[in-house]
Amino acid sequence: MRETHLLSCDFDAAMTAAERAVHHMSEAFVAEFPDVPTERAEHAGELFMRALFLQDEIENRDAFDACFEHDVPPGAFVSSVPDDSESDAINDDPRWRDVRELLGTVCDELDINPEYATLHTRFWRLHGQEVDGWETVARRAHRIKVARMAPSADGKTIDNLAQYFVVGVTRHDEWVRESPECDVSSAIDIVAHYYQRLFDLRDES
């Protein structure tokens, strides 16, 4: 929703959507990492969304250009457009380094293998540009997160949950963005199965 509102240069709506997204991601991280102090898990959720917002700004930088013809309120964007962005391909945007560093801090807060930050950033770069192979990188990244969330899970189970994550991303790509409720409902079963399996694994350990 933040991206949708920014494409219309509706800054107030975009900032409200961003606040809601940060709140929900922070809640999700608290549930995903119950052994992490709540304040740290919530902070990790905030940082993860900041990284996600930044990758949106990189991926959609040409479309967002129109917004800078208006008075942009502080906080509407995570970053400013690099001065040399016109000469750089999206894949070479220097802000990808900031994305990786934000995710690196997420790893620090949650005690996740830092390779997750590198792989997840690479997944976002490939996926946003529709480059073949993003699914493989996404699975590799998510395996690291699943192994941290469910230490007792075996390799096959970790692979299965990582694959569910990829399927969820694919379903998200199919959203038409005309009705948020309809879009979200199309992915509920996938997400519900993912979390039910994760929580069952915890109960079994």
Side-chain angles (χ1 to χ4, degrees):
M1 294 306 300
R2 173 185 182 266
E3 178 185 325
T4 297
H5 292 310
L6 283 178
L7 290 171
S8 301
C9 302
D10 187 342
F11 303 119
D12 288 341
M15 293 170 74
T16 297
E19 290 174 3
R20 290 175 178 167
V22 168
H23 171 71
H24 291 309
M25 185 59 73
S26 294
E27 286 190 320
F29 273 33
V30 169
E32 291 175 349
F33 301 94
D35 60 323
V36 175
T38 298
E39 184 175 325
R40 288 180 58 185
E42 289 176 342
H43 185 224
E46 294 170 7
L47 293 173
F48 184 89
M49 289 310 300
R50 188 172 180 82
L52 181 60
F53 295 157
L54 182 51
Q55 74 90 27
D56 273 341
E57 292 169 22
I58 298 169
E59 184 178 315
N60 297 293
R61 63 185 187 182
D62 292 339
F64 288 165
D65 272 351
C67 291
F68 293 95
E69 298 174 3
H70 305 273
D71 291 329
V72 180
F77 289 91
V78 172
S79 69
S80 58
V81 178
D83 292 337
D84 59 351
S85 62
E86 292 184 2
S87 62
D88 286 338
I90 287 178
N91 198 49
D92 297 326
D93 193 300
R95 291 172 293 177
W96 284 118
R97 180 181 61 254
D98 299 325
V99 171
R100 190 195 60 75
E101 290 178 354
L102 283 165
L103 292 179
T105 306
V106 170
C107 291
D108 291 341
E109 291 283 23
L110 303 174
D111 193 25
I112 296 177
N113 185 325
E115 186 182 5
Y116 171 80
T118 300
L119 289 172
H120 201 84
T121 301
R122 188 182 305 163
F123 147 55
W124 276 344
R125 291 172 78 162
L126 296 175
H127 174 260
Q129 299 173 79
E130 300 181 349
V131 176
D132 290 343
W134 70 262
E135 298 97 331
T136 299
V137 179
R139 279 196 302 272
R140 288 177 60 198
H142 207 70
R143 278 179 53 87
I144 295 172
K145 184 180 179 183
V146 172
R148 171 63 182 87
M149 291 190 295
S152 65
D154 59 28
K156 182 177 180 180
T157 300
I158 290 173
D159 285 338
N160 182 261
L161 285 172
Q163 181 59 35
Y164 259 88
F165 171 76
V166 173
V167 172
V169 172
T170 302
R171 183 63 54 85
H172 174 273
D173 292 343
E174 297 170 353
W175 289 3
V176 295
R177 298 175 186 263
E178 294 177 358
S179 168
E181 293 78 12
C182 182
D183 286 337
V184 171
S185 66
S186 72
I188 287 293
D189 287 346
I190 294 171
V191 176
H193 179 90
Y194 173 94
Y195 278 108
Q196 187 61 61
R197 184 65 184 120
L198 176 64
F199 297 148
D200 285 347
L201 286 167
R202 289 183 184 161
D203 291 340
E204 293 167 5
S205 62

